[in-house]
Amino acid sequence: MSKTGEQQPADMEVDSSAAVEEKQAVKFSINVLELMREAQMQHGLRQSDYTRYRRYCSARLRRLYKSLKFLHGRGKYTRRNITEPTVTDVRYLHIVFYMAERAWSHAMEKKTAGTNAQQRIYMLGRFRKAVKWASLFSQLCSVKGDSRTSLEAEAYASYMKGALFFEQDKNIEAAMINFKNTRAVYEELGKYGSIENQLLCRQRIEEVEPMIDFCSHKLGGSSLQAHELLDMANDLLKAKMEAVLSETRSQQAASMTEFNWLGRRFPITNAKTRVSILKAQQLEKDLNSSATESIAAEKKLGIFDKIFSAYHDARSCIRNDLASAGSAENIRDDLNGLDKAVSAVLGLRTIERNQLLVSIAKSKLTKHRDEKNERITKPEELVRLYDLLIQNTMDMTDLVSSGRNKNEEENSFIHEYELKGLAFRAERCFFLAKAYSSAGKRAEAYALFFHARTLTDSALQQLANSPDKALIHDLKSLSNSCRSNSCIEHATGIMEEESVPLKLSKGVSTISLDDKTKENKYLLDMLESYESAIGEPNTKGPCRIAQFPPPFQAVPCNPIVLDMAYNAIEFPSVENRMKKEKKGLLSRFWG
């Protein structure tokens, strides 16, 4: 009995230490935005009563301190700080959060009441206190909270910092960066979760937008610099956002069991495949939303690259499952169908990306000279892009038509992309004719324009009952362009043929043996005259300052000396000075 009694406290100590370690390892989850909005709307801020909300925060803090027995002594006040080892319950994080909210509401109370110089100093002090507690809240959540809680806490702290800089009216760039960080986080979080969460994120973004607009208006010309600072400061924030989004996709992927494509449903059993497909679908929604219409084409191309990466990850997971499926026919059929559907969607996105590249190239085709010295598109580049589009449509129709039992949706899909391939061939023929026209080959260009118009009219006849009005409109404009360009090439060719004898006679008449080329005068050669060395204002030739490399100059050669007496001189013999060879005994007999 004594032995067991001695061992029991040690066991209890081990159990308690293990429980503490387990508590410290738990990641707490707080929906910060929902907690803040619920507290504010239910306790005064619906009527903009900041005093009532501040009193609620104080009462809430008293209840939290009492429930956690985290008191600051009796009689004499002794502050107990909240650190990382202290946070063993989610209520400790609530304490720090409500401390920040109490300081913020007190500052807003002073701000709405109208402040003089002394009260403004006190208000800014309350804002600084709110930033201090919000930063501590973000720091504790990054260690003790899950990834979403950490991200929301960082957005909350960024908003508090932005509000402080905004009220100080000194560092507007820092305020704009923090507000944009907040907006970026809530824009991403608003894409997932429940409808209530999306509405809350949208409301938060609408609160931040006027402050960002005011900061950008106040910065004026330096707004671009603030945007660059935002891009540099957002690396860590983007990494956290990507971690949260991947976690959210994993949660949503649990409810995703099928992939629908052209009236067929394919089951998805692998969790990694679900997450990859869900990521690609979310990126497609972002790409097709109305907010992306004003986004630059380069950013859209970046979104396309992310979509391709996600679908390639999904295909690799499917093929790994195929390799490990064995001889189960049903499973292999489902996986083969899913692989075919994902490949087809990937082909569709490839066609869309190439069409975006075509639109970019067309916008640069008509430019003559840009302020940024942007490279001008040549017709040959568009011919190459349309070659890619024709190959993409052929691959797509081959992939869809490879099945045996095709349904009605698949047949209409094949017919649609066959017509699109015909339209792409007409566009390719048109720009090929443009390339021949720029090279001065009028007959070839005329024939290609005529053939492009024939292809376009054929496609328009087949698309007479099609609901794709945009494609019909593009083909009609292409047909008109082919007709006008063919007429222009015909007329230009006739004019060039008529002008050939005239040019020949003019060239022959100007032939002369005299060198009448115009001398280029340089500035260093005419220092005493007031003639310009820059040239005419419309010309774009180089300035004639000095000739480089300098021209060759005539230099006198050294005189040639002819020695007339050399052949008549008799020189003395030097044989007696030459060394004689010694011969041996045998050499004397045999010579």
Side-chain angles (χ1 to χ4, degrees), residues 133-179:
W133 287 109
S135 301
L136 178 61
F137 180 63
S138 175
Q139 178 185 351
L140 293 175
C141 287
S142 64
V143 179
K144 296 294 182 178
D146 58 8
S147 56
R148 184 186 178 94
T149 303
S150 173
L151 188 62
E152 285 200 56
E154 188 161 351
Y156 178 75
S158 296
Y159 179 81
M160 288 296 184
K161 291 175 186 175
L164 173 62
F165 290 130
F166 187 83
E167 293 297 333
Q168 286 177 337
D169 200 12
K170 291 181 180 178
N171 198 346
I172 300 297
E173 288 185 359
M176 187 174 182
I177 289 171
N178 283 283
F179 285 138

Side-chain angles (χ1 to χ4, degrees), residues 316-335:
S316 64
C317 293
I318 293 168
R319 291 179 182 183
N320 290 335
D321 293 341
L322 270 171
S324 59
S327 59
E329 291 296 330
N330 294 331
I331 297 176
R332 293 186 68 86
D333 290 342
D334 291 338
L335 289 174

Side-chain angles (χ1 to χ4, degrees), residues 72-86:
H72 301 282
R74 291 185 177 181
K76 184 179 179 181
Y77 177 82
T78 305
R79 173 174 289 281
R80 297 176 65 185
N81 295 323
I82 298 178
T83 57
E84 293 176 9
T86 309

Side-chain angles (χ1 to χ4, degrees), residues 184-254:
V185 171
Y186 287 119
E187 280 179 350
E188 293 298 324
L189 293 179
K191 297 175 183 176
Y192 300 94
S194 61
I195 301 298
E196 292 79 7
N197 177 68
Q198 294 179 14
L199 289 174
L200 288 176
C201 292
R202 187 70 252 170
Q203 290 174 3
R204 192 64 166 171
I205 292 169
E206 290 174 356
E207 291 177 4
V208 175
E209 283 288 348
M211 299 179 180
I212 295 174
D213 294 339
F214 179 81
C215 291
S216 61
H217 175 71
K218 198 158 189 177
L219 285 173
S222 60
S223 59
L224 180 62
Q225 182 182 0
H227 182 68
E228 292 173 354
L229 291 172
L230 174 65
D231 292 339
M232 290 188 289
N234 261 354
D235 294 336
L236 182 60
L237 184 64
K238 286 179 181 177
K240 288 187 177 181
M241 287 169 62
E242 188 60 33
V244 173
L245 295 181
S246 62
E247 233 178 68
T248 311
R249 289 191 202 104
S250 300
Q251 294 173 0
Q252 288 188 352

Side-chain angles (χ1 to χ4, degrees), residues 455-486:
L455 292 174
T456 306
D457 293 339
S458 175
L460 282 171
Q461 288 178 3
Q462 299 182 43
L463 285 169
N465 299 323
S466 175
D468 195 352
K469 302 299 181 183
L471 181 59
I472 294 174
H473 179 267
D474 293 341
L475 287 174
K476 285 182 178 179
S477 62
L478 179 62
S479 178
N480 294 331
S481 299
C482 290
R483 182 177 179 277
S484 60
N485 279 279
S486 61

